[in-house]
Amino acid sequence: MDFGKRDPTLIVGSRHPLQPQVKLTSTPAPTSASHRHPTPHHQDRVARIMHRATPTALRPRPRPSGAVARRDDDWKTWAELRLKVVGLPPNITTQELWACFKRHGTVTQIEILEDNQGDREGTARVTFGPPPQWPFWGMNPFLVNLPRGSRVDRTAVRLHLEPPRRTFYHPSPVDPLIKYPESMILLADSLDFGFMSNPQTMMTMYTVHSGEGAAVRFKLSLLHRETVVEFQISINKQWECFRLTVPFTNLDKIYRVDDGRSDRVELLVSLPIPPRFFRKLDEEDTHEEKARYWCKNDAWYRQTDITHDPEGLKTSPIALKKRHPVIDIGQALRDYNVSIQDLTGFRVTSQREPAVWEYIDRAIPAAATLGDTLEDLLKEESVPLLAFAVRYQLEVCISQGYLNEHNLSRDFIDKLVDMDATKAQDLLEYVANQGDRLFEPMELFGLKAIKGSTSRPPIPQYCAYIRTATVTPTTIYFNTPTVEISNRVIRYYKEHADRFLRVRFTDEKVEGKIFSTDKNTMDEVFTRVKRTLTNGITIGDRHYEFLAFGNSQFRENGAYFFAPLRHVLPRHMRNWMGNFGEIPYVAQYAARLGQCFSTTRAIIGTKTTIQEIEDEERNGYVFTDGVGKISPFLAQLISYELGIIRRPTDVPPSIFQFRMGGCKGILAVCLDSKAQEITIRRSQYKFAARSEGLEIIRCSQFAVSNLNRQIIVVLSTLGVPDAVFVEKQTAQLANLGLAMTNEKLALTMLQKDIDPNQMTLALAGMILDGFQRTEEPFMRSLLRLWRAWSIKYLKEKARITIHDGAFLLGCVDETFTLQGHYGNTPLANNLDEKINNLPEVFVQLSGSGTGNPRIVTGPMMLARNPSLHPGDIRVVKGVDVPELRHLKDVVVVPQTGDRPIVNMCSGGDLDGDDYLVIWDPELLPHEWNHPPMDFTPAQKVPLGRDITPDDLTTFFVRYMKNDNLSRIAVAHLAYADYMEDGVKSSKCLKLAELHSTAVDYIKSGVPAKMTRDLNPAKWPHFMEKENRPLYQSKKVLGQLYDQVERVDFVPVFDTPFDDRILRAYQVDRKTLDEAAVLKRQYDTATRRIMAQYAIKTEFEVWSTFVMHHSKANNDYKFHEEIGRISIALKDRFREECYKKVGSKEFEKLGPFVAAMYTVTADEIGQAVHEMKEKGADMTADKMPMMSFPWLFKEVLGRIANDVLA
């Protein structure tokens, strides 16, 4: 069954005499591994519900409020019933409880309870749904049979009926007096799968009928806000039970269809993405021995395909083309913002094969196209009908649901073939950029001109156009190529750059990352991932094979694929990357390959000489791990080449994070190093590589310090009062509000609260140029975004800004001056002695945006994210060392002592780790330097033979399945709030150890096994866990959460643009037209980035203050990534403007920038006028873009202030 079919449509037909007849026509997206078509887009997936008249007695009605006397048999009317079981042995299991109680009814949930010290109470809670037939809990004491080997122990327990936790009715969001049952079930005749071939026609692909013992059930769950359809299919002569789920958030609108029968109404429900599919296993086999919790959903296993030939999937590559009322439900859905509209002329057609694929795949003789290049001579005897760039973009449109192959004709394909390939590609990119389903593709060719042609301008040499694909459990999505900063491998194979495919494995489109699980319920999904990695991905005549994965890619479940040529195969490329034959560990082998895929800038204009020195090692620790040296002269040249400094007299950064051949880590400026000399330590050398060029990842710079939830709970446990955090957040919230109208306060905050991408300094510069004073719309929008972004992270992460602190790269003291940590230091008798015994650090801030350099001295806090253990936060002493004053915006740590202090900070090192340094006296903990955790990595197991690509892909899938890092972190946070001892509780300490193991998993290959007993039974309200037991937290994080109200970001469009710029020049029409062409190209490039990362507005891309994105599980790293992407976008189009003007001089550039601003103002002004006439809202998705002229914010500032010289 093709779950992932484009425009999938699901029909459920009901025949129960007392129930509404249901025909649910839902459009699921492609669901199996070899699908050609992903889920339908927007209105293409539908659900069609047909029912007879609703029995009046069962319609929703107002429910009485207030105290109501209960009858003894009220429990019979409950949706679920809970029993508390008291007197159980401490080693009882969920399986034993399930086996004991299943004969009394349907057990839906079992929970073995613990106290707030983490000890079992001998108590459990058993939930039935629906309630049992008779009140057996009155038989106290109740005997429980517990198998113990060859004997059965009978234990007497007491059963207590618990009052219902809720009313089992949900108030309407529209009218609270109307209440609906939380669950509504309809029995159906049949279930049809298909898709919408046009707005009035559904094409059926598969039908399931209700029969003896095989009912189709449609359930509306207001409790979980989702619809559920359960059905059975006979596979290999055995009936299997399946279900699909659709969250209300994925329901757009419902169409009411009149089929001509008076007793039936059909509802067509649109779905934007494929539903999730599950298969049910025997509940008895789904319990774990140590688990404290079990629920019926543990028996439902996620599915990717329903097929009668599962063996055929094992060797299939991934490709878009696949081989073979009881209640007034309509009103309830309307109340949940699902609109119901009439649809006339609806019809259903039967399945047919899309012949267009065979036609597209038809090859033509190569003789007609061969040229005289070597590449041409190596071609096969025939070539594809469509140029690959066109074929790829066509598959982008089909996979995203903008086109459907059933709507494509041979005439459409012939038209594309006859067009210039670039124009055909532009045409299809236009379809993708519009984002709407096109039912009549031939209309495309009638467009006289496509506004915003997507023809690609040149890109910076450090960038490349990258094709990407997203593989979900049910389908595959291809994306329009976007410009990204390249890596070593793509630069070396740049003539084949278009044959790379960056692939990411995720859940369905809006679901995000595929998370690990301690059950086997996701095994089918992980099997699909392995199939893709093993069998590859087919697009047209290209078959993409697995190549390797970068380390950051790996954490995000991504990898690179490559479409091989006769003379360029993936194995050849891996051999070129380096000599890895002596590495016996799969995880380490993969990590070393991954080094070559780091996003870097190659240094091409500077020659270097290499010196090698030994590390400083003691007590099994490497104090200089990852630290090399670089001369001031070479640092100057590199900074100038990268555009970090503009004049030879500017001061370069103090640290560069780098890659060079098989070496990695940081290079710190050393005054003793000679002119073009780089010094490498042994700890930095990882493997022998053919490439020996210097590559830079990033450099040191000042960023303000911010607290987060983990740091706060550790500091709270160590004695920092709650009031300190609350007062600081209160002040920050007040200042953010005032800064919107107070120019002086906004300037002060932006110059102090510097983000890692230093965009707050850019906004501060715009304020200094008067753009806040003139209420310039782009300036006002950015300030609103900055405020909304700051408040969002206060609410969700407790991201409190601390001005007396910094977030800095770490490096080592090469002078051996700083005092290190010594475990045998005697106890201090007074505060001065206690301070003198502290390890020492050197911190000098450059004063970015605020003034002169400053050396910080005295006690301060040193930490690394994430900090979970009470010993992760260290108290150190800042000192002034004249020999280190050439180092700025870094934290310099000692290489003396018996253990590196960075190792005590969450197991950190110095190969590129950032450290939080805070000298605010209010945040110094009462308890200094709790004994640190032992971060010795787990013992790695060698493979014992040569490592193969299959070993790499197997490790990839195992990592996905066992990557418990986020689960461990959220469980730790929940227990830290719930337990009396906070992060010192036994559960938190155990989770901190597991977290360290999980962090090292990528290098060690040893997974962190999180047992079910470490899953919290209840969650603090600030963690926003839907459908989980919550409690109101009274601790510091609960207080901080309750203090913040989220603020939506609303851009400003309807205020005038700055007259100072609009009146500065008399710009001719030719210049305005040239600026307009570049703006269309820039807007298109920005939209591609927005689409790739699910970013809603251009303001977020320009400023890097992103409110929501597709990589929501890693906000900090994404902030860095979008910073690089934004810089590359700006650099690219600045260069295009320089080329158009022919100069970088202000006298020539100024008029063109003013033209860019004028064109933008005209577009926005016209759109504002049209929107006001229509009475429509001016939202970012409906309005033109306005960030284009702000590529030159400094030039705009000079023009606005009449600085023309």
Side-chain angles (χ1 to χ4, degrees), residues 16-63:
H16 194 286
L18 295 179
Q19 303 290 343
Q21 283 203 331
V22 176
K23 234 184 187 181
L24 177 76
T25 312
S26 88
T27 319
T31 307
S32 54
S34 51
H35 287 294
R36 163 73 69 173
H37 316 296
T39 310
H41 188 69
H42 297 307
Q43 313 303 339
D44 301 340
R45 310 170 187 33
V46 297
R48 188 162 123 227
I49 306 174
M50 305 182 308
H51 64 84
R52 293 193 176 94
T54 304
T56 304
L58 295 175
R59 291 183 185 274
R61 56 193 181 277
R63 307 287 298 177

Side-chain angles (χ1 to χ4, degrees), residues 1025-1082:
K1025 291 286 185 180
E1026 292 185 1
N1027 306 319
R1028 300 287 185 90
L1030 299 178
Y1031 66 90
Q1032 189 74 19
S1033 169
K1034 301 300 182 184
K1035 287 189 176 180
V1036 61
L1037 292 182
Q1039 298 172 48
L1040 294 172
Y1041 177 85
D1042 292 340
Q1043 190 183 27
V1044 181
E1045 292 295 332
R1046 289 184 174 91
V1047 175
D1048 292 332
F1049 167 53
V1050 180
V1052 178
F1053 294 103
D1054 56 355
T1055 59
F1057 277 62
D1058 200 317
D1059 262 352
R1060 298 177 300 167
I1061 302 170
L1062 296 175
R1063 297 178 183 274
Y1065 299 94
Q1066 292 293 327
V1067 184
D1068 59 65
R1069 174 47 56 186
K1070 178 175 179 292
T1071 304
L1072 290 171
D1073 290 343
E1074 290 173 344
V1077 170
L1078 279 179
K1079 182 181 186 297
R1080 287 196 293 270
Q1081 294 175 351
Y1082 169 84

Side-chain angles (χ1 to χ4, degrees), residues 975-1042:
Y975 280 122
D977 184 83
Y978 180 72
M979 296 290 185
E980 273 186 34
D981 295 334
V983 298
K984 291 183 179 179
S985 67
S986 59
K987 282 192 181 293
C988 283
L989 294 174
K990 174 63 176 174
L991 286 164
E993 291 179 11
L994 284 175
H995 192 273
S996 175
T997 303
V999 168
D1000 287 338
Y1001 184 18
I1002 193 171
K1003 295 181 288 188
S1004 68
V1006 179
K1009 296 292 187 181
M1010 183 179 173
T1011 53
R1012 287 291 289 269
D1013 62 300
L1014 290 174
N1015 286 330
K1018 59 181 72 174
W1019 300 82
H1021 72 288
F1022 62 79
M1023 296 188 74
E1024 300 179 341
K1025 291 286 185 180
E1026 292 185 1
N1027 306 319
R1028 300 287 185 90
L1030 299 178
Y1031 66 90
Q1032 189 74 19
S1033 169
K1034 301 300 182 184
K1035 287 189 176 180
V1036 61
L1037 292 182
Q1039 298 172 48
L1040 294 172
Y1041 177 85
D1042 292 340

